[in-house]
């Protein structure tokens, strides 16, 4: 149903390559939940004049080099690098093995952010902080798997209904089968209802979001109260009402799509149901 926006090449999860520049890193940090007090700057030359333009202090350096250069240097020292087996809060550095293709810039950035001044720049309550707390106690293999399978956030309307509910119930099953893990935001008019609370107990990945399709902006506002990660995809289901002369279904869906575009949602799937008659039961 949903495409993760990544490729699997020779069995390896692989990202679309992105240019590693200050704009990309700043945008990425905002989405991850990193303090905006960290800034990024290009170093295009090591001349004294160029270096004098770089703000101080310099906390870290991310070096980009052509693959043949990297491989030549790496092959010369790899035999002398001991296998890392550490875990726990006493480790001097939180290290994560890269298992995702074309993610070298992301991994470099993560290593800087989570280790700089003991994670001082990781925003409290952010998804990144939650991941880091889980990663600390894991061994190298489990830690790499955690970062490889970081959850994608999907918002589903009509979540307590039959169709929306069926979609939600099947997404956690994908996780059990070690496919794409999802964080599920289930939109319901009344998250305090008995039915909604019972539904949320189906999986720890489900978070209830109060809202209705008359006010899509309020739905996204409530999302931000629950998670710092951006909604990646939406599954929207509505039931056509043959007695409604105002065409509410079309109006509500257009409003939700427009708001989704504003919020940077990447994928939108719309589903409707024709009741096949005037009965609404």
């Amino acid at each position: 149903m949903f495409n993760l926006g990544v490729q699997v090449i020779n069995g390896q999860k692989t990202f679309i390559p992105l240019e590693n520049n200050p704009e990309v890193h700043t945008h990425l940090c905002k989405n991850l939940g990193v303090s905006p007090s960290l800034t990024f700057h290009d170093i295009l030359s090591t001349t004294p004049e160029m270096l004098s333009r770089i703000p101080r202090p310099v906390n870290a350096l991310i070096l980009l080099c052509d693959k043949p250069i990297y491989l030549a240097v790496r092959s010369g020292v790899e035999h002398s690098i001991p296998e890392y087996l550490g875990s726990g809060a006493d480790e001097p550095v939180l290290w994560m093995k890269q298992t995702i293709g074309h993610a070298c810039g992301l991994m470099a950035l993560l290593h800087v952010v989570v280790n700089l001044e003991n994670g001082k720049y990781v925003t409290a309550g952010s998804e990144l902080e939650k991941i880091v707390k889980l990663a600390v106690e894991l061994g190298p293999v489990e830690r790499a798997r955690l970062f490889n399978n970081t959850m994608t956030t999907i918002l589903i309307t009509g979540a307590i209904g039959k169709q929306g509910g069926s979609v939600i119930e099947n997404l956690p099953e994908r996780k059990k089968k070690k496919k794409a893990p999802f964080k599920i935001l289930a939109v319901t008019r009344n998250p305090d209802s008995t039915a909604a609370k019972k539904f949320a107990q189906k999986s720890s990945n489900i978070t209830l979001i109060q809202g209705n399709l008359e006010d899509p902006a309020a739905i996204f506002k409530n999302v931000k109260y629950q998670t710092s990660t951006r909604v990646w995809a939406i599954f929207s289901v509505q039931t056509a009402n043959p007695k409604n002369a105002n065409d509410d279904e079309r109006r509500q869906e257009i409003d939700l799509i427009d708001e989704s575009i504003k919020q940077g949602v990447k994928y939108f799937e719309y589903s409707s149901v024709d009741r096949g008659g005037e009965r609404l039961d």
Side-chain angles (χ1 to χ4, degrees), residues 25 28-29 32 40 62 104-114:
H25 280 166
L28 180 58
C29 281
L32 287 173
F40 301 89
I62 296 177
C104 51
L106 170 63
M107 295 305 294
L109 178 63
L110 286 175
H111 280 91
V112 169
V113 170
V114 302

Side-chain angles (χ1 to χ4, degrees), residues 94-147:
L94 177 61
W95 181 78
M96 295 91 47
K97 181 179 180 180
Q98 179 182 341
T99 58
I100 303 172
H102 296 161
C104 51
L106 170 63
M107 295 305 294
L109 178 63
L110 286 175
H111 280 91
V112 169
V113 170
V114 302
N115 289 295
L116 184 59
E117 297 186 46
N118 294 319
K120 171 184 175 181
Y121 296 96
V122 178
T123 304
S126 67
E127 291 301 313
L128 180 57
E129 183 193 46
K130 296 175 184 177
I131 294 171
V132 169
K133 286 183 177 179
L134 290 173
V136 167
E137 299 302 327
L138 297 177
V141 174
E142 293 80 8
R143 188 180 292 171
R145 187 178 296 124
L146 172 68
F147 279 87

Side-chain angles (χ1 to χ4, degrees), residues 34-227:
V34 177
S35 170
S37 61
L38 277 183
T39 59
F40 301 89
H41 305 271
D42 273 331
I43 300 178
L44 304 178
S45 168
T46 56
T47 63
E49 181 183 1
M50 181 65 195
L51 294 178
S52 68
R53 299 177 184 178
I54 304 300
R56 301 296 197 273
V58 175
N59 294 298
L61 175 66
I62 296 177
L63 175 65
L64 304 181
C65 66
D66 198 18
K67 187 174 181 180
I69 298 175
Y70 165 78
L71 292 177
V73 174
R74 179 77 182 188
S75 62
V77 298
E78 190 164 16
H79 66 280
S80 63
I81 301 175
E83 181 182 5
Y84 177 78
L85 300 173
S87 65
D90 293 333
E91 287 293 298
V93 173
L94 177 61
W95 181 78
M96 295 91 47
K97 181 179 180 180
Q98 179 182 341
T99 58
I100 303 172
H102 296 161
C104 51
L106 170 63
M107 295 305 294
L109 178 63
L110 286 175
H111 280 91
V112 169
V113 170
V114 302
N115 289 295
L116 184 59
E117 297 186 46
N118 294 319
K120 171 184 175 181
Y121 296 96
V122 178
T123 304
S126 67
E127 291 301 313
L128 180 57
E129 183 193 46
K130 296 175 184 177
I131 294 171
V132 169
K133 286 183 177 179
L134 290 173
V136 167
E137 299 302 327
L138 297 177
V141 174
E142 293 80 8
R143 188 180 292 171
R145 187 178 296 124
L146 172 68
F147 279 87
N148 187 82
N149 296 331
T150 300
M151 287 189 288
T152 299
T153 301
I154 297 175
L155 183 141
I156 299 179
T157 69
I160 311 302
K162 290 184 178 179
Q163 188 174 164
S166 177
V167 171
I168 291 177
E169 288 178 353
N170 280 280
L171 288 176
E173 289 301 316
R174 290 171 64 95
K175 183 174 186 295
K176 292 177 183 177
K177 296 173 184 176
K178 296 185 180 180
K179 296 182 182 179
F182 297 101
K183 180 171 185 175
I184 303 162
L185 305 179
V187 178
T188 177
R189 290 178 178 270
N190 183 12
D192 294 322
S193 69
T194 301
K197 290 180 177 179
K198 183 178 180 180
F199 188 83
Q201 294 175 355
K202 292 177 180 289
S203 171
S204 60
N205 291 354
I206 298 174
T207 299
L208 298 176
I209 302 294
Q210 195 280 326
N212 67 77
L213 294 178
E214 288 294 331
D215 192 352
I219 293 176
F220 282 97
K221 184 177 181 179
N222 290 336
V223 166
K224 292 178 180 178
Y225 290 142
Q226 297 289 346
T227 178

